[in-house]
Amino acid sequence: MAVKRHFRSCASPSHACFRRDGVEERRIVEIARQPIFQFSEERGSNAVIYADHAATTPLLPCARAAMEPYLNEEFANPSSQYRAGRKARRDIELARRRMAELLGCQPGELYFTSGGSEGNAWAVWNGALWGRDAGKPLVTTSIEHHSLLRACQGAAQLGVETVLLPVDGSGRVSPASLAAVLERRPALVSIQYANNEIGTVQQMEALSALCREQNIPFHTDGVQAIGRTSVNLRQIDMLTASAHKFGGPKGIGFLYARKGLPLHPLIYGGSQERGLRGGTENVAAVVGMAAALEETLMQRSVQRTRLAALAQDFVAALLAGCPRARFHLPEGDRLPGLVSVALPGISGEQLVYRMDMADVAVSAGAACDQGERQEVSHVLRAIGLSRQEAEQTIRLSFGPTNSPEDGRQAAERLLRILAVSY
């Protein structure tokens, strides 16, 4: 299929092979050179529409360019004492300093991690250690990402209880419900900044202020928020982020931890990250993340307007052709470009496959939960949807790679699928 601008669909790859002891084997490297999505200059009406930016985003060209030297000649270990190693160390710290400037914090408050799951686990681990001896619980919500909820389950092995705050039909936490549970003096409160399935942005200022008044550490999973909405780090004590959600490489992220917090390591090893996160630093990924963060924050206000328009076009076109569609759009502040919708009579899992055949990439929930056996979304159940409604839901999340007509075209392709299904 010839597709111009943004993405195109490529034919199934032919497998390059080699022989070892007379046995023919596939070479993964050669297979990987045949992409499904590919940037190109122009766009035709049959283009593949990538509408799953909440799962991951394409690597920005600026990030790729920043990384390239460190994937080739600049390969030294940042802990080495010779010139090449000292240069790698200097480049990591320059990236840290630039990110701190962009985020409004101190360089020493940023710790590089492998991504969102590690950052969430690290925050929960510290909360568990802080509260274990004093019998203090952890407090979080019923709609958190599974990486945080399962870290809380792990904390139970240390004898630390987790209290789950309820949410309303928009997925929002009531400050009154948080105030009530703070009477128990929890060791840590963790509330997701923006939800990855329905796009709800929490009332961070009000929620964090309640914790700050009682000197209770407040963490937020900011993986979906960074680059998509305004984030004020001065309001919070810890924040988790992942580079591949804002145009950076996979496998790198950061934990912001306010200066003065008694942080304990999650990963033990060498003296990296001021002795709090062992492991040789991925210099290429760090500089790529810094470049992507700068570009994304520079474009944020423009992109918010574009993404909101794409979502509005999709909603309007789908409702015009399918009035039965039920949208799960939170009232108040929400992530631009993210749409959660249930289509009666057909499962979300089936729609994902059929949309894929129609060259539209969507999801039936959080990407980390996709697998051979699709679980019913705990987020959708928490906001009051029945099991059937949750199973009939798909998520679209538009991003900077989408062209202005993608919202309408995605809806038109979905309507064609529904016309055959009903």
Side-chain angles (χ1 to χ4, degrees):
M1 176 185 301
V3 173
K4 314 247 176 157
R5 191 170 176 237
H6 294 308
F7 291 113
R8 71 179 177 187
S9 178
C10 299
S12 299
S14 57
H15 301 295
C17 303
F18 66 95
R19 290 184 177 275
R20 185 178 65 186
D21 298 329
V23 178
E24 205 171 62
E25 297 183 358
R26 294 178 175 177
R27 292 184 60 188
I28 296 176
V29 170
E30 294 300 325
I31 296 171
R33 288 175 180 166
Q34 304 293 326
I36 300 297
F37 300 123
Q38 186 175 343
F39 287 111
S40 52
E41 295 298 324
E42 302 174 3
R43 181 183 174 89
S45 60
N46 293 325
V48 173
I49 298 173
Y50 181 68
D52 202 19
H53 289 81
T56 194
T57 58
L59 187 66
L60 289 172
C62 64
R64 185 187 303 275
M67 294 172 67
E68 188 171 0
Y70 305 94
L71 298 173
N72 295 297
E73 65 273 11
E74 301 286 349
F75 58 84
N77 189 318
S79 296
S80 298
Q81 296 303 306
Y82 41 79
R83 281 178 296 169
R86 295 198 305 271
K87 180 182 184 303
R89 167 62 51 200
R90 182 193 67 191
D91 292 346
I92 286 177
E93 297 310 320
L94 286 174
R96 193 191 313 270
R97 187 184 310 168
R98 181 55 182 149
M99 289 177 63
E101 291 173 354
L102 293 165
L103 294 167
C105 65
Q106 299 178 31
E109 295 176 314
L110 295 181
Y111 297 87
F112 297 135
T113 68
S114 62
S117 294
E118 182 188 334
N120 283 342
W122 196 359
V124 169
W125 171 247
N126 274 272
L129 292 178
W130 297 335
R132 177 179 55 180
D133 295 337
K136 295 181 177 181
L138 304 172
V139 173
T140 188
T141 80
S142 54
I143 64 168
E144 298 295 310
H145 191 273
H146 272 141
S147 65
L148 192 129
L149 292 175
R150 287 168 182 161
C152 289
Q153 292 174 4
Q157 299 176 19
L158 298 178
V160 179
E161 176 192 1
T162 296
V163 177
L164 293 181
L165 294 169
V167 296
D168 62 20
S170 291
R172 200 156 274 118
V173 176
S174 163
S177 67
L178 175 60
V181 80
L182 290 183
E183 295 178 1
R184 295 188 58 182
R185 304 296 303 169
L188 177 72
V189 173
S190 181
I191 298 177
Q192 192 178 42
Y193 211 109
N195 186 262
N196 52 302
E197 292 194 40
I198 57 176
T200 304
V201 176
Q202 299 291 344
Q203 305 170 71
M204 276 296 131
E205 185 173 357
L207 298 172
S208 62
L210 289 171
C211 295
R212 193 161 55 250
E213 288 169 3
Q214 301 193 40
N215 198 31
I216 294 172
F218 183 85
H219 165 260
T220 183
D221 174 355
V223 167
Q224 294 292 334
I226 296 293
R228 292 186 175 95
T229 191
S230 178
V231 174
N232 182 359
L233 291 184
R234 295 296 98 186
Q235 296 177 346
I236 55 187
D237 298 301
M238 289 193 286
L239 175 140
T240 296
S242 186
H244 76 100
K245 303 294 188 178
F246 53 81
K250 297 177 179 66
I252 188 71
F254 65 86
L255 177 71
Y256 159 77
R258 177 182 53 79
K259 184 178 179 180
L261 281 179
L263 208 59
H264 301 276
L266 175 67
I267 298 176
Y268 291 86
S271 60
Q272 295 90 351
E273 297 306 292
R274 300 177 291 288
L276 290 172
R277 201 277 186 182
T280 301
E281 300 95 337
N282 186 338
V283 187
V286 168
V287 298
M289 173 169 63
L293 180 65
E294 181 165 15
E295 177 71 15
T296 298
L297 294 182
M298 286 176 57
Q299 299 293 328
R300 186 181 63 205
S301 60
V302 174
Q303 290 298 332
R304 280 186 65 88
T305 302
R306 286 188 67 255
L307 301 185
L310 281 162
Q312 289 169 3
D313 289 347
F314 174 82
V315 171
L318 186 58
L319 274 179
C322 182
R324 294 193 297 166
R326 181 179 177 184
F327 291 90
H328 319 310
L329 300 177
E331 295 181 3
D333 195 11
R334 63 177 186 260
L335 292 177
L338 192 149
V339 180
S340 176
V341 58
L343 286 307
I346 184 170
S347 75
E349 191 171 1
Q350 290 178 348
L351 279 176
V352 170
Y353 292 130
R354 295 188 187 186
M355 288 287 275
D356 186 29
M357 296 300 293
D359 287 331
V360 185
V362 303
S363 73
C368 297
D369 297 323
Q370 305 292 313
E372 292 183 3
R373 185 177 182 276
Q374 177 68 43
E375 297 181 11
V376 175
S377 166
H378 67 289
V379 174
L380 298 180
R381 295 287 279 146
I383 64 173
L385 270 64
S386 68
R387 182 181 181 91
Q388 183 181 50
E389 289 173 316
E391 289 176 339
Q392 294 171 343
T393 296
I394 60 172
R395 179 193 69 184
L396 292 87
S397 47
F398 297 102
T401 62
N402 293 115
S403 63
E405 66 270 17
D406 279 355
R408 176 185 53 80
Q409 287 191 4
E412 290 174 353
R413 297 184 198 183
L414 178 53
L415 287 171
R416 289 196 290 270
I417 292 170
L418 297 177
V420 175
S421 302
Y422 289 158

